[in-house]
Amino acid sequence: MPAVQLNSDVALGVAIPSRNARGRIARLGSVVDTVLASHNYPPVIEQLLAEALTLTALLGSLLKESQGQLTLQAQTEGGAIDLMVCDYLRGELRGYIRHDADLVAELPDHPTLEQLFGKGYLAITFDQPVAAERYQGIVPLEGRNLGEAAQSYFAQSEQIPSLVRLAAEKRDDHWHAGGLLLQHLPEGEEGRERLHTRLDHPDWPHVAILGGSVKAEELTDPTLPLDDLIWRLFHEEDEVRTLESIELKRGCRCDPAYVRSVIARFPEDERAEMVGDDGLIRVDCAFCSSSFSIEPKEVSS
Ligand SMILES: [Zn+2]
């Protein structure tokens, strides 16, 4: 029996050494259900957040440091959504989407990114505190879905040929989401400056065709273990390896002490304005909808 089950709420590393390709595959089930249970989102927004959390899991599991954090943030103008934030820390995922309910109600069942976000940008931030490395790339939210936007991120910001597939579906009241990320990293690329990148390397189109043949129903099927799915896609390769797996959980970091420390950083006159009729400062966590009531004297300097 493997230590970690590879069916749901898990990310798995993948390598195809003979093609210089590496990547991650992830599937989410109860993590998505738990995140969405804190909100009361319309179906279109639930679908988008399920896909965004899957992308966050794929990108977060690329972090080399166990303490590293990955943040996905969409900044937008003139769309139905004005803010989307997801993050990843130690396998813990959380996220929320701020949107205009009236505009969302007018959207088609499968809206484009432009219909959702208007003129939007996706910022992807890799934060690795031990190496004191912080890297942020920004791409326009264009294309049919978040997977395509993420692909352009890697092509534009990092010059790495990449394939990103995301899928999410609600069946019998439960969400099933899955994603595949593959990248072409020619010899010696890992941890080294790239002198040039060959976007026309013959190995890559081959891997992209095999990876791109993955079906949405395979990505979201919790009865199909991720290692079996990788084998199904790449079994004709000389060698395909699965690497470490990371268990995924829903997690929020909004404990009362943290909320107090944030409030304490505001100047005294601004804190006074936050006090409600009941004499308390009320703070709601946008990620998990927890509500905190804080005594003003607890945070006074
Ligand atoms: Zn929270």
Side-chain angles (χ1 to χ4, degrees), residues 252 254 285 287-288:
C252 206
C254 60
C285 175
F287 285 101
C288 69

Side-chain angles (χ1 to χ4, degrees), residues 204-267:
W204 175 246
H206 179 80
V207 172
I209 286 167
L210 295 180
S213 74
V214 72
K215 298 185 185 77
E217 54 267 34
E218 292 173 312
L219 287 171
T220 61
D221 178 2
T223 67
L224 175 60
L226 295 179
D227 48 351
D228 288 357
L229 177 51
I230 289 299
W231 180 249
R232 187 185 282 186
L233 294 170
F234 298 106
H235 63 96
E236 285 177 13
E237 295 305 296
D238 291 341
E239 188 186 5
V240 52
R241 276 189 230 158
T242 54
L243 312 172
E244 72 289 350
S245 62
I246 299 175
E247 201 183 336
L248 302 170
K249 293 184 281 272
R250 185 277 209 150
C252 206
R253 304 191 277 288
C254 60
D255 61 281
Y258 173 75
V259 173
R260 278 196 293 271
S261 77
V262 172
I263 300 293
R265 273 180 246 147
F266 284 90

Side-chain angles (χ1 to χ4, degrees), residues 113-126:
L113 292 181
E114 202 179 354
Q115 287 169 322
L116 288 164
F117 294 101
K119 191 174 158 50
Y121 292 88
L122 182 66
I124 299 176
T125 311
F126 291 88

